[in-house]
Amino acid sequence: MKERILIIEDEENIARVLQLELEFEGYEIGIAHTGPDGLIQYREHKWDLILLDLMLPGLNGLDVLRRIRATENHTPVILLTAKNEVEDKVAGLDLGANDYVTKPFEIEELLARIRAALRFSNGGQAKKDEHLYEFCGLSLHEQTREVKREDRQIELTPREFDLLLHLLKHPNQVLSREQLLDAVWGFDYYGDTNVVDVYIRYVRKKIEKPGESTLIQTVRGVGYVLKENDEN
């Protein structure tokens, strides 16, 4: 299967050149020209690596990186910047970028950095189904959208599925309502945060039948956490 790279770059000529070079190297490519569009594509598809320009319209590259790292830290991000200031590079690395390349750059150097980042993220580990998430008898497959608890099939709406998926990606981690809103409803959602509580109830009702242990637990005043019931 081809490795997938998302290019978030507002200069269309640069983005097009990168696309052609990377496709020639065998990668599958997605392109976004603004910060908000980059976040939408990041959330709607699975990527093996992100090339992220710092100077973007709508939402700058550091803000995009901050939002990505608020939800996960395993997808490699390489910054593309025309700036030479040390502060920008340090800020990007502190926010979780894996590497940076200063424009203008040689394509051979960028390709080498991409290969290195992908090797590091793979970590030499044995291949497993990266789309399957399992926790205490609960399983969810991101591609087939199949959800089960033990042998019981569970039907979820698209929003319920996305909420449970995010919880499964962060087991034993307390997530605030704001974090869940940002990850599931999107950074530009301006509705009531109580929608999180409503959908948590919907998901609980479907995955926690009578006699089954509670998996989604409320942390009063903060949010929710996916963890084993301490009483079991």
Side-chain angles (χ1 to χ4, degrees):
M1 182 181 295
K2 290 184 178 181
E3 289 172 304
R4 306 184 75 241
I5 296 176
L6 173 62
I7 301 169
I8 309 178
E9 165 63 66
D10 66 320
E11 295 186 50
E12 295 188 15
N13 289 339
I14 292 178
R16 179 57 176 163
V17 168
L18 288 173
Q19 178 185 13
L20 292 173
E21 293 284 354
L22 292 171
E23 286 179 342
F24 181 78
E25 294 293 322
Y27 298 107
E28 188 175 332
I29 303 301
I31 294 179
H33 296 301
T34 69
D37 187 39
L39 277 176
I40 291 170
Q41 291 215 41
Y42 161 73
R43 290 185 174 122
E44 291 184 349
H45 306 282
K46 184 170 181 61
W47 305 100
D48 296 292
L49 184 138
I50 298 171
L51 295 178
L52 175 62
D53 185 33
L54 283 184
M55 304 298 290
L56 292 169
L59 200 66
N60 69 46
L62 290 180
D63 285 334
V64 172
L65 177 60
R66 186 179 292 109
R67 293 174 186 274
I68 290 173
R69 288 299 182 243
T71 59
E72 55 97 346
N73 58 13
H74 62 267
T75 305
V77 176
I78 297 178
L79 300 179
L80 306 177
T81 176
K83 294 185 176 181
N84 290 314
E85 287 87 347
V86 172
E87 290 81 2
D88 295 303
K89 298 171 183 177
V90 171
L93 293 172
D94 284 344
L95 285 173
N98 299 79
D99 202 350
Y100 63 85
V101 178
T102 303
K103 300 175 185 176
F105 50 80
E106 295 292 335
I107 191 65
E108 290 79 7
E109 178 187 2
L110 179 60
L111 290 172
R113 290 178 182 270
I114 288 172
R115 290 191 295 268
L118 289 171
R119 282 197 304 270
F120 184 81
S121 68
N122 292 334
Q125 299 176 359
K127 282 287 185 181
K128 63 177 182 179
D129 190 341
E130 58 187 9
H131 302 290
L132 178 65
Y133 297 86
E134 297 177 303
F135 186 85
C136 299
L138 179 68
S139 66
L140 177 151
H141 199 283
E142 192 172 5
Q143 286 191 324
T144 66
R145 302 185 75 84
E146 183 179 53
V147 181
K148 288 184 176 182
R149 183 154 187 191
E150 303 301 346
D151 293 325
R152 178 167 62 86
Q153 198 84 22
I154 299 170
E155 298 295 330
L156 299 177
T157 66
R159 190 75 74 183
E160 291 166 353
F161 181 91
D162 291 342
L163 178 58
L164 181 58
L165 172 63
H166 192 70
L167 289 167
L168 281 164
K169 286 182 175 180
H170 302 84
N172 301 307
Q173 178 180 335
V174 178
L175 299 171
S176 69
R177 289 173 178 82
E178 290 73 20
Q179 287 175 307
L180 291 169
L181 273 176
D182 188 33
V184 179
W185 278 264
F187 72 94
D188 54 351
Y189 176 81
Y190 296 108
D192 194 333
T193 59
N194 286 339
V195 70
V196 175
D197 305 316
V198 172
Y199 273 83
I200 285 287
R201 288 198 297 271
Y202 291 161
V203 174
R204 277 176 170 161
K205 187 175 181 180
K206 292 183 177 181
I207 71 169
E208 298 169 1
K209 293 299 184 182
E212 294 179 335
S213 60
T214 299
L215 296 182
I216 302 175
Q217 300 187 34
T218 303
V219 180
R220 196 173 302 278
V222 182
Y224 299 95
V225 58
L226 183 72
K227 60 181 287 190
E228 287 189 86
N229 192 332
D230 295 331
E231 297 178 358
N232 292 335

